[in-house]
Amino acid sequence: MPATLIVGTQWGDEGKGKIVDLLAADADVVVRFHGGNNAGHTLVVNGEKTVLNLIPAGVLHPGRICMIGPGVVVDPEVLVGEIEALRKRGYLKDDRWLRLSERAHLIMPYHRAIDRARERLRGAGSIGTTGRGIGPAYEDKMARTGIRVGDLFDEVGFREALERSVREKNGYLEAILGEAPLSFDAIHDCYAVYRERLRPFVADAGEELRAALAAGRRVLLEGAQGVMLDVDHGTYPFVTSSSVVSGAAAGGAGLPPRAIGRIIGIAKAYTTRVGGGPFPTELTDALGDRLRADGDEYGATTGRPRRCGWFDAVVVRHAVALCGVDGLALTKLDVLTGVDPLRVCTGYELGGRRLDRPPATQRAWESLTPCYEELPGWRESLGGARSLADLPANARRYVERLAALVGAPIALVSIGAPRDETIRVGDVF
Ligand code: IMP
């Protein structure tokens, strides 16, 4: 049975964590394939809130195999902390439930230092990165100077690679970024501790994943961020440093592309973005504040307030087309209760011309204006709805209109954080 893939269709924070957690109930293996601890998935299970940054959201289902694939960049300090926090709460009882690819690149302290220093120097033009060292770690990977998880276990090789890197990065930190140098010994000693903590989980994750699929196991691939943060297809340069689109999932997980079957796109019923960059439907007024408050729109990783705005069908349509989305999971519909009328962006206007797709340049993003369609809102609580037919007529109409505008059928609608506050329309496996 081919794998099911979950992708974010906006600027991240679409509520993928809840959807992956739900779908993980029917999966045997859940895999992260790109990004790192810039992601933050918030889950509410039995009234208890869990934020995961690296370990796939399937971890709250005992017995699921959670994999961190070769395309991920791993901060071992964060991973060790996450493992320990989960263990304290009774999760991850068996080491075999977490597999960490030996090919995944390590985030090092100098990556974090460079990320933060560059952001400081950019000032008002900063990208608004999460400061977790994601971009600098991917830079080293592409420059072929990165250090991978597997390298930790070749102690001599690791020492040599680290010496080279610390020398080079300290030169850059001091001379160009005006930062203090980092201590080789401190990093070396910390990473020696992480080596032992992570040893039980390190594996040829791609090979294990292919074997699991061949054995008929159900695999869920958990995308992080969202298509508009994709390094090629997003609002460059206000993007993350990995490929977010479905086309990258196979490589990042270690699968052939044909091993992926269904692709589920997650979209929030409105739009949010954290960090800098274009956001045509942003609401900077009281309604934006209300969405932020009602939707608890604060970054799961950094706690930053998220920018909020109307649903942008241009963005989601682009993601649906680019990723080949088969079904849409619409989240946080309940947050729109009481907002009347609702607006949906159906296209952009640029220089007197209508655009149905996102433009490629920053200048175009800055110059366009969104074109809106208005829809009536609803005041009734969505609490008990378990099918589309249970929704108030205007909520159903809103959902159906979004599906038509973006060109994908609805697979699922989330109307609250708990697992059961969900309307399932089809089977996703
Ligand atoms: P970086 O990935 O930390 O380099 O940040 C680059 C941009 O992507 C910034 O605007 C971040 O706020 C954004 N970003 C990265 N990861 C996430 C995420 O998981 N959700 C939402 N935004 C993210």
Side-chain angles (χ1 to χ4, degrees), residues 390-423:
D390 296 339
L391 288 174
N394 285 346
R396 201 164 61 242
R397 187 167 154 193
Y398 182 75
V399 170
E400 285 165 359
R401 184 66 186 136
L402 298 195
L405 282 170
V406 305
I410 297 291
L412 194 150
V413 181
S414 170
I415 53 170
R419 280 177 180 162
D420 64 329
E421 294 189 0
T422 308
I423 297 169

Side-chain angles (χ1 to χ4, degrees), residues 113 116 188 210-211 231 236 238 245 283 287 292-293 321 348 370 387:
R116 288 172 193 171
H188 185 265
R210 293 188 293 277
V231 68
Y236 191 90
F238 297 94
V245 294
L283 288 162
L287 183 54
R292 185 174 311 109
Y348 302 144
S387 76

Side-chain angles (χ1 to χ4, degrees), residues 77-95:
E77 183 182 345
V78 172
L79 182 56
V80 165
E82 213 164 278
I83 293 168
E84 284 173 2
L86 284 164
R87 284 240 164 102
K88 268 194 203 127
R89 293 176 43 206
Y91 295 110
L92 213 55
K93 284 198 177 121
D94 189 324
D95 286 351

Side-chain angles (χ1 to χ4, degrees), residues 11-13 38-40 115 127-131 134-135 225 229 239-240 274-276 304:
W11 277 282
D13 305 322
N38 47 350
D115 191 3
I127 294 169
T129 72
T130 59
I134 305 295
Q225 288 91 44
L229 290 172
V239 293
T240 190
V274 60
R304 291 179 292 177

